[in-house]
């Protein structure tokens, strides 16, 4: 059966070429849309995981946590040290990062200009991870305790640039006013993902701890990221039990609980992406099925000959279907693997988005297209299924058809 199907492909080159090219064009459109969807999803998850919520947030408060709204006074401080972190990593396998964070409001002044700002104090390692998702207008991430990184929007409001000094005022844990002078080390653009980070200034954790008057080992939040961002209920339950054993006063919130707004945006993009993907697949399937049905209906004499040689109707259907499936799956694999290799090795820096409105829509200043092997396997399976269904539709009456009727067909 397989040998006969392959022989038919080489015997009817024009027919095979038509199906092959049609499959390539259809698969290209599906993979292109999938790559865009994956790019936005990955960018959002990276933003949430690195700069907004983390995969899980550990905190001490009876109130439900919303990281885009809660302030320093809304949360209780708790003790955390390297020994506790080692114990947590030992009990909960797969933890990639455990990052302490302080969030508090302050007043920032430069010359005669002043503006309110939300400050985040992060470890140096965490600051580097946050900076990796930002597009810098100038400068770099803060390298020491006397530097601050802020958005271009705030820098413009203060008429400041990289290297300028700012006066920062903030209420500490005791209700008194703390002040310090910081130098702008970096200014990041506020397009794409950074539109959610516009009102935030980033400083080193040690400086934030000093401003808030914290004791050694005190912190406000812990951001926990696992190697796999798609957490499971078992993973969350195990992490929660581990934390309870270390400190029964602490609570855990998942990223979608702690940042419901971003979770809604991500859900919209995911659902919209799937809808567009289904539309593309349905449209491509409609064309592919019609082409295969038309070609199969013009092969009645060939099919009658196979039946005359002793082929059962079921075997004939499988032989014809395998011919189409082989052509279509080969085309899908070829274009899928080609695009994946091109995306993985040539477009890792991303494709710049020149229009600001599109940057806001795609939540990034560039698209980093990504195709996963599972995406390729899924499209291959669906196209193969479409081929088989097309042959079944065309030859559904074959078991009841007389061989002589097929052989008298002029085609």
């Amino acid at each position: 059966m397989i040998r006969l199907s392959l022989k038919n492909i080489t015997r009817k080159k024009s027919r095979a070429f038509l199906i092959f090219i049609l499959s390539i064009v259809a698969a290209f459109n599906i993979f292109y849309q999938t790559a865009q969807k994956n790019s936005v999803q990955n960018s959002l998850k990276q933003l949430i995981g690195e700069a907004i919520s983390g995969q899980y947030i550990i905190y001490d408060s009876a109130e439900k946590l919303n990281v885009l709204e809660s302030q320093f006074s809304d949360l209780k401080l708790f003790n955390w040290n390297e020994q506790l972190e080692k114990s947590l990593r030992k009990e909960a396998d797969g933890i990639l990062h455990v990052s302490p964070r302080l969030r508090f409001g302050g007043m920032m002044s430069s010359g005669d200009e002043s503006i309110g700002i939300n400050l985040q104090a992060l470890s140096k390692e965490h600051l580097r991870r946050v900076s990796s998702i930002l597009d810098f207008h100038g400068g770099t991430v803060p390298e020491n305790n006397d530097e601050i990184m802020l958005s271009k929007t705030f820098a413009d409001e203060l008429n400041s640039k990289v290297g300028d000094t700012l006066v920062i005022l903030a209420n500490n844990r005791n209700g008194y006013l703390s002040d310090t002078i910081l130098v702008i080390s970096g200014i990041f653009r506020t397009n794409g993902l950074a539109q959610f980070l516009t009102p935030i200034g980033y400083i080193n954790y040690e400086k934030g701890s000093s401003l808030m008057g914290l004791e050694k080992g005190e912190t406000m939040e812990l951001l926990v990221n696992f190697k796999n961002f798609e957490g499971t209920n078992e993973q969350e339950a195990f992490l929660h039990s581990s934390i309870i054993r270390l400190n029964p006063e602490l609570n855990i919130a998942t990223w979608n609980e702690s940042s419901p707004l971003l979770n809604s945006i991500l859900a919209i993009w995911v659902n919209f992406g799937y809808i567009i993907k289904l539309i593309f697949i349905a449209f491509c399937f409609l064309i592919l099925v019609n082409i295969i049905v038309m070609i199969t209906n013009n092969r009645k004499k060939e099919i009658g000959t196979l039946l005359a040689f002793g082929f059962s109707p079921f075997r004939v259907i499988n032989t014809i279907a395998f011919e189409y499936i082989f052509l279509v799956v080969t085309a899908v694999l070829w274009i899928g693997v080609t695009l994946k290799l091109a995306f993985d090795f040539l477009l890792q820096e991303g494709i710049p988005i020149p229009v600001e409105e599109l940057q806001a829509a795609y939540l990034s200043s560039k698209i980093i297209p990504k195709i996963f092997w599972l995406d390729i396997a899924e499209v291959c399976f669906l196209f193969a299924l479409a081929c088989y269904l097309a042959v079944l539709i065309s030859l559904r009456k074959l078991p009841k058809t007389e061989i002589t009727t097929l052989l008298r067909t002029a085609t």
Side-chain angles (χ1 to χ4, degrees):
M1 181 184 74
I2 296 177
R3 184 181 299 176
L4 179 60
S5 298
L6 296 177
K7 187 175 181 180
N8 281 336
I9 292 174
T10 57
R11 187 168 56 88
K12 294 289 186 178
K13 293 184 177 63
S14 58
R15 180 177 68 200
F17 182 75
L18 173 64
I19 296 175
F20 189 82
I21 293 299
L22 174 65
S23 301
I24 286 179
V25 174
F28 176 85
N29 286 299
I30 293 173
F31 285 135
Y32 180 75
Q33 190 280 326
T34 300
Q36 291 187 78
K37 177 180 71 70
N38 289 341
S39 174
V40 175
Q41 285 184 231
N42 290 340
S43 296
L44 264 174
K45 288 178 180 178
Q46 193 176 18
L47 170 75
I48 294 168
E50 304 295 0
I52 300 293
S53 298
Q55 189 174 351
Y56 298 98
I57 294 185
I58 299 172
Y59 65 102
D60 186 359
S61 175
E63 300 296 328
K64 191 173 182 180
L65 180 66
N66 186 330
V67 296
L68 297 180
E69 297 177 1
S70 61
Q71 294 295 324
F72 183 82
S73 58
D74 298 329
L75 301 175
K76 298 178 182 177
L77 296 170
F78 60 91
N79 291 317
W80 191 259
N81 53 46
E82 292 184 3
Q83 187 61 41
L84 289 173
E85 180 176 336
K86 288 180 181 177
S87 299
L88 179 62
R89 288 180 177 273
K90 186 177 180 180
E91 292 192 27
D93 293 333
I95 292 180
L96 190 61
H97 301 293
V98 179
S99 308
R101 178 174 70 175
L102 299 174
R103 291 185 295 116
F104 53 94
M107 180 65 69
M108 187 168 57
S109 301
S110 176
D112 296 330
E113 303 292 337
S114 297
I115 191 170
I117 189 171
N118 294 320
L119 295 169
Q120 285 195 17
L122 309 178
S123 66
K124 290 184 178 180
E125 185 271 338
H126 194 181
L127 278 171
R128 284 192 289 270
R129 284 191 280 128
V130 172
S131 67
S132 67
I133 65 175
L134 300 176
D135 180 17
F136 275 88
H137 177 71
T140 59
V141 61
E143 294 293 341
N144 58 62
N145 288 343
D146 296 324
E147 294 181 332
I148 184 173
M149 175 177 73
L150 68 160
S151 68
K152 186 176 184 297
T153 300
F154 270 39
D156 290 344
E157 288 285 341
L158 295 170
N159 296 317
S160 299
K161 60 184 182 301
V162 173
D164 288 352
T165 57
L166 304 174
V167 176
I168 305 293
L169 302 176
N171 287 321
N172 59 34
R173 63 179 300 178
N174 298 315
Y176 299 111
L177 199 62
S178 296
D179 64 275
T180 189
I181 295 178
L182 299 175
V183 177
I184 300 176
S185 69
I187 298 174
F188 58 88
R189 301 181 190 275
T190 52
N191 49 8
L193 288 174
Q195 63 188 292
F196 295 102
L197 309 178
T198 297
I200 300 174
Y202 293 97
I203 60 177
N204 273 290
Y205 188 84
E206 292 81 2
K207 174 57 74 173
S209 180
S210 175
L211 268 173
M212 290 294 99
L214 303 189
E215 300 292 338
K216 183 177 181 181
E218 284 187 320
T219 192
M220 174 185 176
E221 295 171 326
L222 292 175
L223 275 60
V224 179
N225 286 341
F226 283 78
K227 294 178 182 177
N228 180 13
F229 190 80
E230 303 295 340
T232 62
N233 292 332
E234 294 79 8
Q235 185 184 70
E236 181 181 352
F238 191 72
L239 179 62
H240 190 269
S241 63
S242 301
I243 286 294
I244 291 299
R245 284 195 294 271
L246 296 174
N247 187 339
E249 299 297 324
L250 299 180
N251 290 312
I252 293 179
T254 60
W255 67 267
N256 50 335
E257 293 171 337
S258 61
S259 53
L261 173 61
L262 290 179
N263 182 39
S264 299
I265 295 173
L266 179 58
I268 290 172
W269 259 103
V270 171
N271 295 330
F272 181 75
Y274 281 128
I275 291 172
I276 295 298
K277 183 178 180 180
L278 287 175
I279 292 174
F280 270 102
I281 289 176
F283 180 72
C284 295
F285 278 11
L286 183 63
I287 296 176
L288 184 64
V289 167
N290 276 279
I291 292 292
I292 291 177
V293 168
M294 181 185 67
I295 293 175
T296 304
N297 285 332
N298 289 327
R299 298 175 65 178
K300 296 295 180 64
K301 189 171 183 179
E302 176 188 341
I303 293 169
T305 303
L306 292 176
L307 292 173
F309 274 98
F311 279 64
S312 66
F314 181 71
R315 189 179 179 188
V316 170
I317 290 173
N318 286 343
T319 301
I320 301 296
F322 181 81
E323 176 185 335
Y324 297 139
I325 290 173
F326 179 83
L327 280 170
V328 169
V329 170
T330 300
V332 172
L333 277 176
W334 183 82
I335 189 64
V337 172
T338 300
L339 288 175
K340 178 173 175 55
L341 294 176
F343 293 159
D344 289 349
F345 294 101
L346 300 179
L347 297 176
Q348 278 302 294
E349 298 299 322
I351 304 172
I353 303 175
V355 183
E356 288 191 9
E357 287 77 8
L358 284 177
Q359 291 176 0
Y362 281 102
L363 303 177
S364 178
S365 59
K366 58 186 176 182
I367 295 176
I368 304 177
K370 187 72 176 179
I371 295 178
F372 301 103
W373 291 113
L374 186 61
D375 295 325
I376 298 176
E378 179 187 29
V379 176
C380 284
F381 172 77
L382 292 174
F383 270 55
L385 183 63
C387 291
Y388 199 85
L389 289 175
V391 175
L392 281 179
I393 292 171
S394 182
L395 302 180
R396 63 188 183 280
K397 298 180 180 179
L398 185 61
K400 299 179 180 180
T401 305
E402 295 291 336
I403 297 177
T404 52
T405 302
L406 293 171
L407 291 176
R408 284 199 297 269
T409 304
T411 55

